[in-house]
Amino acid sequence: MSGNVNIDNNRVPRHIAIIMDGNGRWAKKKGLNRIFGHQAGVNTVRKITEACVEFGVKYLTLYAFSTENWNRPKEEVDALMTLLVDSIEKETPDLMKNNVRLLAIGDLARLPQKAEEKFRNCMKLTSANTGVNLVLALSYSSRWEITDAVRQIARLLSNGTIDINDVNEDLISQHLTTNHIPDPDLLIRTSGELRISNFLLWQLAYSELYFTDVYWPDFDKEELRKAIISYQQRERRYGKTSEQINN
Ligand code: FPP
């Protein structure tokens, strides 16, 4: 039987964004150090990327490290950085095999130099791949991103490149780090928390939201299927009436 028998293949979300939460609690429940939770979380990243290839999702954005995560204990920050770099290095051959293109959003300049280099190398290597776009949010927060966009636009205004009447939604979108990426159709947050946590605040304006109690290390293809099916049962109205959408 086909793996995606319940999904309507004509209405698969083009872009899924995920707040991968619950690694720490998953580890604690098992009496393990938090870092084991993050290690298990990497396996989920692999499985969910493969599921997106199978389901035909074109963009998968993962909140891997927020601006606020820099405030965690140094030991955990260092372990997460090492894990991110090691995983990228280890997974690159599979990214190539699965035709996955790696992209990143966030303040990459804040990463340790070696980590930034590794990400940039992997992005370059996978840049011609045409399957899933795997977008990692690294040292990312939406307020940082919007503030940076405002700064860029203010510079263009002050040097006369643009006029105040040129400032519109499109111009703002073009100055966000996601300028080359469509807005998410579906946002998933695992672990039972009902928050957006400074993630893609501008881009989620019309996204469908899906929350599950499952911790990220336990999230799998079946859970992703449930989220997509829930998404497919929604009516996206973008502020219009149901009648307008259906006519
Ligand atoms: C949230 O769980 C998770 C993170 C802050 C880090 C997520 C990072 C990974 C899974 C590694 C990603 C790797 C690649 C290659 C993309 P938490 O620690 O906040 O969990 P808690 O709320 O239970 O404490």
Side-chain angles (χ1 to χ4, degrees), residues 131-221:
V132 175
N133 294 279
L134 173 61
V135 186
L136 296 187
L138 292 166
S139 190
Y140 174 88
S141 83
S142 213
R143 288 186 176 182
W144 162 79
E145 178 185 45
I146 292 170
T147 307
D148 192 60
V150 170
R151 203 177 292 121
Q152 291 175 53
I153 292 170
R155 199 174 297 123
L156 295 177
L157 273 170
S158 72
N159 67 21
T161 309
I162 60 168
D163 176 81
I164 191 133
N165 294 313
D166 296 325
V167 179
N168 55 29
E169 290 191 11
D170 280 346
L171 188 83
I172 294 172
S173 292
Q174 282 162 25
H175 287 87
L176 298 174
T177 59
T178 50
N179 64 67
H180 48 302
I181 299 168
D183 288 345
D185 300 294
L186 172 63
L187 170 81
I188 298 172
R189 182 172 191 150
T190 58
S191 92
E193 305 292 353
L194 308 179
R195 288 189 291 275
I196 302 295
S197 299
N198 215 350
F199 188 43
L200 302 174
L201 299 179
W202 174 275
Q203 299 85 340
L204 292 174
Y206 287 105
S207 308
E208 296 297 328
L209 309 182
Y210 179 88
F211 298 98
T212 170
D213 287 341
V214 175
Y215 291 150
W216 178 248
D218 291 329
F219 193 81
D220 59 10
K221 186 170 127 185

Side-chain angles (χ1 to χ4, degrees), residues 1-12 50-57 221-222 224-226 228-229 232:
M1 190 165 58
S2 147
N4 55 359
V5 67
N6 294 320
I7 289 181
D8 176 351
N9 290 323
N10 296 318
R11 288 194 304 127
V12 172
E50 285 169 6
C52 285
V53 172
E54 183 182 330
F55 293 154
V57 175
K221 186 170 127 185
E222 209 36 54
L224 181 67
R225 184 201 304 281
K226 284 190 216 162
I228 294 177
I229 287 169
Q232 292 186 333

Side-chain angles (χ1 to χ4, degrees), residues 20-25 34 38 41-42 45 64 69 72 76 80 84 87 136 216:
M20 312 180 283
D21 199 7
N23 294 345
R25 278 163 287 163
R34 296 175 55 82
H38 297 313
V42 173
V45 169
N69 286 154
R72 289 197 174 190
E76 185 170 342
L80 265 169
L84 281 162
S87 307
L136 296 187
W216 178 248

